[in-house]
Amino acid sequence: MAKEKKLVQSITARDEDFAQWYTDVVREAKLCDYSGVKGCLNYLPNGYAIWENIQANLDKRFKETGVQNVYLPVLIPESLLQKEKDHIEGFAPEVAWVTKGGEEPLQERFCIRPTSETLFCDVWSKTVQSYRDLPKVWNQWCSVLRWEKTTRPFLRSREFLWQEGHTIHATYEEAEERTLMMRDVYKDFVENDLAIPLVTGKKTPSEKFAGAEDTYTIEALMHDGKALQSGTSHFFGNAFADAYGISYSDKENKLHSVYETSWGLSTRIIGAIIMVHGDDSGLVLPPHIAPVQTRVVPIAQHKEGVLDKANELLAALKAAGYRAEIDDSEKSPGWKFSEQEMLGIPTRIEIGPKDIENGQVVIVRRDTREKIVVALDEIETRLSEILEDIQKALFEKAKAFRDSHIHTATNMDEMKDIAENQIGFIRAMWCGDDACEEAIKDQTGGVTSRCIPEEQEEISNVCVCCGKPAKHMVYWGKAY
Amino acid sequence: MAKEKKLVQSITARDEDFAQWYTDVVREAKLCDYSGVKGCLNYLPNGYAIWENIQANLDKRFKETGVQNVYLPVLIPESLLQKEKDHIEGFAPEVAWVTKGGEEPLQERFCIRPTSETLFCDVWSKTVQSYRDLPKVWNQWCSVLRWEKTTRPFLRSREFLWQEGHTIHATYEEAEERTLMMRDVYKDFVENDLAIPLVTGKKTPSEKFAGAEDTYTIEALMHDGKALQSGTSHFFGNAFADAYGISYSDKENKLHSVYETSWGLSTRIIGAIIMVHGDDSGLVLPPHIAPVQTRVVPIAQHKEGVLDKANELLAALKAAGYRAEIDDSEKSPGWKFSEQEMLGIPTRIEIGPKDIENGQVVIVRRDTREKIVVALDEIETRLSEILEDIQKALFEKAKAFRDSHIHTATNMDEMKDIAENQIGFIRAMWCGDDACEEAIKDQTGGVTSRCIPEEQEEISNVCVCCGKPAKHMVYWGKAY
C-alpha cells in the first residue's frame, strides 16, 4: 500500500507550484530524465512514443506538400559555419567543438550541428546549376546540440530532437509562399492534433532567427500564462545563397541567386502538451497523438471469465485500429486508475463481472472523468466518437483559457499593471524600434514581443512605450 | 541528346569493374554523396527514402516483439565509456572527442557515441531495482560516429545511420532467447523484404563485438563474391551489468546481476541491396521496400488525351495503395526508361494512344525487362501480382547465385586455390584456435571467418589449417 500511496501523493498541485508540478509530471509519467551528460535528456519510452506519433503525423503532412527527407552529417567544419556572418554570430557561442578524431588531433575543428542551414547550402552550392534543379524541398529528422546553461525537460536542453526543413527556390514569391505554407502546416497540426490553440505571426527583428529576413512563429499559451514559441518558419531571401554561392541559370542561361527558407519544430512541443492540457492527476494526452488511446482495466479480475472477456475486448479494439492496451497486473483498481490518469491515456475501459453480465463496459474520460456506460457490441463505434469528443473538448477548453487571458494595453502603466497582476498575452501597439522592446522588457519583468499577427487591429495609433506613431499591433508575453 | 546519352553511358559495366560500377550506381541513382566533412555522407532523397522504408518495416517487426523506442544522448562522458574494459579497448581508437562546449573548455571530454551500450547501462543502473522492472527491451534509431580511415558509400563511413537495440533480462535464458529472436527478426526482414538470402551463425571469438560473450551475425553474399556482415545481435552475459552495477532484487529480495543483449542493423544494408540486385542498367529495388513501386510513363504525351489518361491511371494506382508516380517531363521515352531503370523502380507502366484505344497498358518489369500487356481495368490487381513475382524472383535469383558460390575446402591447398580462383563462401573445418584464423587470413589474401552456422556438417574431422581435431564447420570469405 505504501507504494500505491506514493504515486498519487508525489505530484505537486498544478496551481500551487507550476514549475514543480511540471517536473513531477515529467518524472511520474516517465517521459524523460536527465542523463549523465549535463543538460542532455534521456527520452524514455513514454516520452519518445509521443514524439514518434508527432513525427508520423507531421511527416505525412510534409510529404503531402512535396517534402523529401534526407540526412546530412552531425558535424560542421568551422570554416563552413563561418560563411554567413549573422548566422555564426548567433550560434558560435553555444556550439560544442570536436577537436580530436580517433588518435589524431584534427587540422580543422568541427562543431556538432546546432542547426544545419550551412550543410544544406553546402550540398546545393555543389549540385544546383539550372532552373531544372529547383525547387529543393528537403527535411531531416535529427537531434541538434546547443550548449545551454540552464535547462528544463523538453523546454530547453543541450541536445534536443527536431525536424529541420530547408528549401531553395527560383523566385522570392515561391520561397515566401513556402515559408508561410510550413507555418500553416504547423498551425494545422498543433491545433488539430495537439489541441493547442495558437497565436501566429511574424517575429520582430530582434527576435528573429540568426540570418533570417523574416521569422514566422506559432505561439502557444501555457496554463501558467507564459507563452511557448512552438515552431518557426524562416525566410532568408538571398542571404545564404549569396554567402554559400548557390545560383542557377534560367531558360535564357542567365544566372540568379536562389531564395531560401527553413522551418523547425522540436520536442519542446511535448512540453506544451504537458503545460496546456495536464492537471493535478498528471498528463492529459490528446487522442490524436496519444501512444495509447485506451487502457482496459479489468475489475475483480480474479473472478472467472473477467480476464478472458477483458482480453477479448482488447483484441477487438486493436483489430478495429485503436491503440489499446490492458492493465492485468496485480495492482488494485484504484492504483491502476491513478496510473492511467498520470500517463494521460485519454480513456480507460472498466470491465467487471457485473458489466459482463449486463453486456456493457464503463468508459471513463481522462479529461472530464465522465463515466459513460456503453454496450459491449457498440464499443468500437462509440469509442471513436468519445475520443473525438475529447480531442475537441481539449481544444475548446484551451481556447477558452487563452481567449480569457488576452489583455490589451494602451500605455506603459497598463502594460506594467497587466504584467504584474495578470497572466497571459498582452496586445499593444509598437513603433518598430528595438529600444522600445528593450524598455518594455526591462520595465515589466521580462515581457517580450511574441509576434506581429497577420490580423492587425489598431488599438491606438501610438507606441505603448515611446508614444511615437505605431507601426504594428504586437502580442507580448512572458515566455519560456 | 548529349545529356541523354550521358546518363546511359556513365555507368561502368558491373562485371568489368565492380567497385567502379558500385560508385557509379550510387552517384547516378542519387542515393548519397560525400559531404564536406571528410568520410561523412549526405543521405540524399532517393537513398534516404529507402532507409525510411527499411525503418518502417523493421520497426513494425520490433514492436511486435515488445520493443520500445527511446532516444539517449549523442555524447558519452569519457569516464562512462571506460567502465567496461573490452568495450573501451575496442572503441577508443575510433571515436571523435568533444573538448569544448560553447566558450568554455570542458572539465571532462565527451565522445560522440560510436554505439550506446554505456549510456543504456547508465540509465538502467540508476533506475532498475526489482524484478518488476525487468525486462527492458529498448531500441533507438540514430546515427553513430566512428573515425574510420577509409570509407565507401553506405559500406563504411564515419557517420552512419542505424538502429541499436539494448535489452536487459532477469535470466541468462531469456537474454539468450532475445539475442536469437532479434537475429531471426533481421533474417526474416532481410530475406523477405530485401530479397537477400543469408548465411547466419555465431561469430568466432576474434570477430565478435567488443565486450560481447557471443555475437550472432547475418551474412550476405554480394555479386562480386564478397560477404557483407549485414546485422549483428550480441549476448553480453553479465559483463556490462557488473561493470555498470545493474542489479535487481528477486521476489525473495535476493540481489542478482541482469543479463544484457544488443543488436544493430545500419544503412550498410543499402549497400547490400545495390550489390546483390543491381545490374548494368543501375539499381534494382525489391518492391517491398522500393520508395516508388511503379512509374507511369506516357508515350506520345503531346497527343490529345494521353496525359489525362496517364494521370487518371496514376490517381487510381495511388488510391489502391501503390507507391506510384508519373514522369510527365519533356524528356524522350527512351531517356525516361533509362532513368526509371537507373533508379531501380521495380516496374514502369507505358501508356500511349494505341494502348488507350485498346483499353490496355504495358507493364515492364525492371528485373527481367519482360513486357506484360494488361487490360486497364485489371491493372490494380495485376500490378500487385507482378510486384510479388518480382520480389520472389529477386530472392530466387540471389539465392541461386549464393548457392552456386559456396565451396568446400578440406585442406589449405584447396582453401588457397578457392580463394585465388573462385568467388563466394568457403565451408571449412576449424579447430577453434585464433592462430589458425590468422594463418588462413595471411595465406589466402584476406579470407576471414564469417560465421559458425547453426547447421553444422562434418566436412572432415580436422582443422583445415593445422590438422588438429576440428571443433566447428565455419563459413569463410573475403568481406567488406
Side-chain angles (χ1 to χ4, degrees):
Chain A
M1 278 308 284
K3 209 158 196 180
E4 297 196 5
K5 266 190 188 159
K6 198 181 153 211
L7 182 86
V8 183
Q9 288 181 344
S10 57
I11 285 214
T12 304
R14 184 180 57 171
D15 293 337
E16 185 183 300
D17 181 345
F18 192 75
Q20 188 57 48
W21 167 83
Y22 178 80
T23 307
D24 291 351
V25 171
V26 168
R27 185 189 66 245
E28 292 299 316
K30 299 194 175 101
L31 301 178
C32 71
D33 62 18
Y34 279 111
S35 80
V37 184
K38 194 165 172 288
C40 289
L41 299 173
N42 297 322
Y43 294 85
L44 301 174
N46 291 350
Y48 194 79
I50 299 172
W51 183 239
E52 282 185 296
N53 282 351
I54 290 172
Q55 282 189 301
N57 223 313
L58 205 48
D59 199 68
K60 187 164 167 282
R61 287 165 202 258
F62 287 168
K63 283 178 177 153
E64 282 164 4
T65 74
V67 172
Q68 295 183 303
N69 284 337
V70 300
Y71 182 79
L72 303 190
V74 66
L75 297 179
I76 306 176
E78 186 168 18
S79 56
L80 188 66
L81 189 70
Q82 284 177 336
K83 282 195 182 174
E84 211 287 329
K85 215 175 122 278
D86 291 338
H87 192 66
I88 178 77
E89 272 175 23
F91 282 105
E94 55 179 46
V95 297
W97 291 103
V98 174
T99 55
K100 201 176 166 191
E103 312 278 85
E104 299 151 33
L106 299 175
Q107 294 195 304
E108 178 183 11
R109 59 183 189 167
F110 299 100
C111 77
I112 297 181
R113 64 178 162 234
T115 179
S116 304
E117 277 75 9
T118 55
L119 290 169
F120 281 80
C121 284
D122 191 44
V123 177
W124 291 327
S125 70
K126 289 168 186 161
T127 52
V128 169
Q129 292 171 331
S130 130
Y131 69 94
R132 287 186 209 89
D133 300 326
L134 295 175
K136 297 286 186 203
V137 183
W138 289 5
N139 174 66
Q140 70 180 6
W141 293 93
C142 64
S143 78
V144 289
L145 203 106
R146 298 175 187 176
W147 214 255
E148 304 279 359
K149 292 210 168 104
T150 53
T151 58
R152 294 198 60 194
F154 296 120
L155 301 176
R156 195 172 293 279
S157 56
R158 287 188 170 168
E159 186 186 15
F160 59 88
L161 298 164
W162 78 346
Q163 59 68 218
E164 48 177 322
H166 300 268
T167 74
I168 48 172
H169 307 266
T171 66
Y172 184 103
E173 292 69 28
E174 192 184 295
E176 198 181 36
E177 191 189 335
R178 173 58 67 171
T179 314
L180 290 167
M181 186 196 299
M182 300 321 288
R183 193 272 318 264
D184 290 343
V185 166
Y186 289 150
K187 182 171 152 66
D188 183 53
F189 167 68
V190 173
E191 294 201 334
N192 289 312
D193 288 336
L194 307 186
I196 297 176
L198 297 169
V199 164
T200 68
K202 216 183 253 196
K203 284 284 183 193
T204 61
S206 72
E207 293 276 332
K208 70 186 187 187
F209 184 77
E213 199 163 294
D214 278 318
T215 288
Y216 295 87
T217 180
I218 57 170
E219 303 273 331
L221 192 64
M222 305 298 102
H223 188 79
D224 65 346
K226 282 196 193 168
L228 188 80
Q229 178 180 305
S230 305
T232 46
S233 186
H234 314 293
F235 176 71
F236 291 109
N238 297 131
F240 274 87
D242 292 344
Y244 287 80
I246 315 171
S247 56
Y248 73 97
S249 52
D250 65 15
K251 286 185 185 176
E252 283 79 39
N253 226 14
K254 277 196 349 206
L255 219 58
H256 304 271
S257 278
V258 300
Y259 295 85
E260 189 166 351
T261 85
S262 78
W263 24 277
L265 181 143
S266 78
T267 36
R268 191 163 218 233
I269 201 77
I270 298 176
I273 297 171
I274 300 166
M275 291 195 290
V276 169
H277 301 305
D279 63 20
D280 284 348
S281 302
L283 194 60
V284 176
L285 290 172
H288 286 193
I289 54 93
V292 179
Q293 295 171 312
T294 195
R295 185 181 264 191
V296 177
V297 180
I299 309 294
Q301 68 184 38
H302 59 282
K303 294 210 174 151
E304 203 188 322
V306 172
L307 270 182
D308 285 348
K309 198 73 190 172
N311 275 305
E312 207 176 279
L313 173 61
L314 175 71
L317 291 171
K318 281 185 173 175
Y322 292 105
R323 300 189 290 273
E325 63 181 27
I326 191 167
D327 185 352
D328 56 2
S329 67
E330 286 165 15
K331 298 161 195 159
S332 70
W335 201 97
K336 291 181 183 181
F337 298 165
S338 292
E339 190 183 57
Q340 168 259 327
E341 292 182 355
M342 183 65 72
L343 297 175
I345 298 171
T347 56
R348 69 169 177 264
I349 303 179
E350 302 176 4
I351 179 166
K354 274 188 196 163
D355 298 308
I356 295 168
E357 213 178 288
N358 298 329
Q360 66 180 41
V361 296
V362 180
I363 300 183
V364 185
R365 285 174 63 147
R366 169 66 183 87
D367 61 335
T368 58
R369 285 212 175 69
E370 188 189 349
K371 294 184 172 215
I372 306 159
V373 177
V374 174
L376 257 171
D377 55 7
E378 285 176 12
I379 191 161
E380 284 171 36
T381 50
R382 280 294 284 135
L383 182 57
S384 110
E385 292 163 10
I386 291 167
L387 290 171
E388 270 314 296
D389 281 350
I390 295 172
Q391 184 77 28
K392 283 201 195 94
L394 289 178
F395 181 77
E396 290 307 327
K397 191 177 167 194
K399 189 166 178 297
F401 178 84
R402 185 203 60 183
D403 290 347
S404 65
H405 290 86
I406 298 179
H407 315 283
T408 302
T410 54
N411 57 52
M412 277 308 283
D413 283 341
E414 284 175 14
M415 194 96 177
K416 283 189 267 188
D417 180 58
I418 297 167
E420 195 171 340
N421 300 307
Q422 310 273 350
I423 60 166
F425 287 119
I426 308 172
R427 301 190 317 157
M429 304 305 290
W430 175 55
C431 61
D433 196 336
D434 286 359
C436 284
E437 270 188 277
E438 263 315 306
I440 289 170
K441 193 176 172 185
D442 289 345
Q443 292 173 41
T444 56
V447 167
T448 53
S449 69
R450 303 319 308 150
C451 66
I452 305 169
E454 286 81 26
E455 290 181 20
Q456 286 283 310
E457 188 187 328
E458 194 173 319
I459 295 167
S460 86
N461 56 9
V462 295
C463 174
V464 71
C465 182
C466 67
K468 287 183 191 156
K471 278 191 188 148
H472 310 285
M473 186 197 85
V474 173
Y475 275 92
W476 307 81
K478 291 180 181 165
Y480 275 94
Chain B
M1 275 309 282
K3 209 160 195 177
E4 296 195 8
K5 268 191 187 159
K6 198 181 153 210
L7 182 85
V8 183
Q9 288 182 343
S10 56
I11 285 214
T12 304
R14 185 180 56 171
D15 293 336
E16 186 182 299
D17 180 346
F18 192 75
Q20 188 58 48
W21 167 83
Y22 179 80
T23 307
D24 291 351
V25 172
V26 168
R27 185 189 65 247
E28 292 298 317
K30 298 193 176 107
L31 301 179
C32 70
D33 63 17
Y34 280 111
S35 80
V37 184
K38 194 165 173 287
C40 289
L41 299 174
N42 297 323
Y43 294 85
L44 301 175
N46 290 350
Y48 194 79
I50 299 172
W51 183 239
E52 282 185 294
N53 282 351
I54 290 172
Q55 282 189 301
N57 223 313
L58 205 48
D59 199 69
K60 188 166 167 281
R61 286 165 203 259
F62 287 169
K63 284 179 177 154
E64 282 165 3
T65 75
V67 172
Q68 295 183 304
N69 283 337
V70 299
Y71 182 80
L72 304 190
V74 67
L75 297 179
I76 307 177
E78 186 167 19
S79 56
L80 188 67
L81 189 71
Q82 284 177 335
K83 282 194 181 175
E84 212 286 330
K85 215 175 123 277
D86 291 338
H87 192 66
I88 178 76
E89 271 175 24
F91 282 104
E94 56 178 44
V95 296
W97 291 104
V98 174
T99 55
K100 201 176 165 189
E103 313 278 85
E104 300 151 31
L106 299 174
Q107 294 196 305
E108 178 183 11
R109 60 183 189 167
F110 299 99
C111 77
I112 297 181
R113 63 178 164 234
T115 179
S116 304
E117 277 75 9
T118 55
L119 289 170
F120 281 79
C121 285
D122 191 44
V123 177
W124 291 328
S125 70
K126 289 168 186 162
T127 53
V128 170
Q129 293 172 331
S130 130
Y131 69 94
R132 287 186 209 90
D133 300 326
L134 295 176
K136 297 286 185 201
V137 182
W138 288 4
N139 174 66
Q140 69 180 7
W141 294 93
C142 63
S143 79
V144 289
L145 203 107
R146 298 174 189 179
W147 215 253
E148 304 279 0
K149 294 213 167 99
T150 54
T151 58
R152 295 198 61 195
F154 296 121
L155 301 175
R156 196 173 293 278
S157 56
R158 286 188 170 169
E159 186 186 16
F160 59 86
L161 297 164
W162 78 346
Q163 58 68 217
E164 48 177 321
H166 300 268
T167 74
I168 48 172
H169 306 267
T171 66
Y172 184 102
E173 292 71 27
E174 192 184 296
E176 199 181 36
E177 191 189 337
R178 173 60 66 171
T179 313
L180 291 166
M181 185 195 299
M182 300 321 288
R183 192 272 319 266
D184 290 343
V185 165
Y186 289 150
K187 181 169 153 65
D188 182 54
F189 167 68
V190 172
E191 295 201 333
N192 289 312
D193 288 336
L194 306 186
I196 297 175
L198 297 169
V199 163
T200 67
K202 216 184 254 198
K203 283 285 181 193
T204 60
S206 73
E207 292 276 334
K208 70 186 187 187
F209 184 77
E213 199 164 295
D214 279 318
T215 289
Y216 296 87
T217 180
I218 57 171
E219 303 273 330
L221 192 64
M222 304 299 101
H223 188 79
D224 66 345
K226 282 196 193 167
L228 188 80
Q229 178 180 306
S230 304
T232 46
S233 185
H234 314 293
F235 176 71
F236 291 108
N238 297 131
F240 274 87
D242 292 344
Y244 287 80
I246 315 172
S247 56
Y248 73 96
S249 53
D250 66 15
K251 286 185 184 176
E252 282 79 41
N253 226 13
K254 279 197 347 207
L255 218 57
H256 303 271
S257 278
V258 299
Y259 295 86
E260 190 165 351
T261 85
S262 78
W263 23 278
L265 181 144
S266 78
T267 35
R268 190 163 219 232
I269 200 78
I270 298 176
I273 297 170
I274 300 167
M275 292 195 290
V276 169
H277 301 305
D279 64 21
D280 285 349
S281 301
L283 194 59
V284 177
L285 289 172
H288 286 194
I289 54 93
V292 178
Q293 295 170 313
T294 194
R295 186 182 264 191
V296 177
V297 181
I299 310 294
Q301 67 184 40
H302 59 282
K303 294 212 174 150
E304 203 188 320
V306 172
L307 270 181
D308 285 347
K309 198 73 189 172
N311 276 305
E312 206 177 281
L313 173 62
L314 176 70
L317 291 170
K318 281 186 173 176
Y322 292 105
R323 299 189 291 273
E325 63 181 25
I326 191 167
D327 185 351
D328 57 2
S329 67
E330 286 165 14
K331 298 161 195 161
S332 70
W335 201 99
K336 290 182 184 182
F337 299 165
S338 293
E339 190 183 57
Q340 170 258 325
E341 292 181 356
M342 182 65 72
L343 297 175
I345 298 171
T347 56
R348 69 169 176 265
I349 304 179
E350 302 176 5
I351 178 166
K354 274 189 196 162
D355 299 306
I356 295 169
E357 214 177 288
N358 298 330
Q360 65 180 42
V361 296
V362 181
I363 300 182
V364 186
R365 283 174 63 146
R366 169 65 184 87
D367 60 336
T368 58
R369 284 212 177 69
E370 188 190 349
K371 294 184 173 215
I372 306 159
V373 177
V374 174
L376 256 171
D377 55 8
E378 285 175 12
I379 191 162
E380 285 170 35
T381 49
R382 280 294 284 134
L383 182 57
S384 109
E385 292 163 12
I386 292 168
L387 290 171
E388 271 313 295
D389 281 351
I390 295 173
Q391 184 77 30
K392 284 201 195 94
L394 289 178
F395 182 77
E396 290 307 327
K397 192 177 167 195
K399 188 165 177 298
F401 179 84
R402 184 202 61 182
D403 290 347
S404 65
H405 290 86
I406 298 179
H407 314 283
T408 301
T410 54
N411 57 51
M412 277 309 282
D413 283 341
E414 285 175 12
M415 193 96 178
K416 284 189 266 189
D417 181 58
I418 297 168
E420 195 170 339
N421 300 308
Q422 310 274 350
I423 60 166
F425 288 119
I426 308 172
R427 301 190 316 158
M429 303 306 289
W430 176 55
C431 62
D433 197 335
D434 287 357
C436 284
E437 271 188 277
E438 263 316 305
I440 290 170
K441 192 176 171 185
D442 288 346
Q443 293 172 41
T444 56
V447 167
T448 53
S449 69
R450 303 321 308 149
C451 66
I452 306 168
E454 285 81 26
E455 289 181 20
Q456 287 282 312
E457 186 187 329
E458 194 172 322
I459 296 166
S460 87
N461 55 10
V462 295
C463 175
V464 71
C465 182
C466 67
K468 289 183 189 154
K471 278 191 186 150
H472 310 285
M473 186 198 84
V474 173
Y475 275 93
W476 307 81
K478 290 181 183 166
Y480 276 95

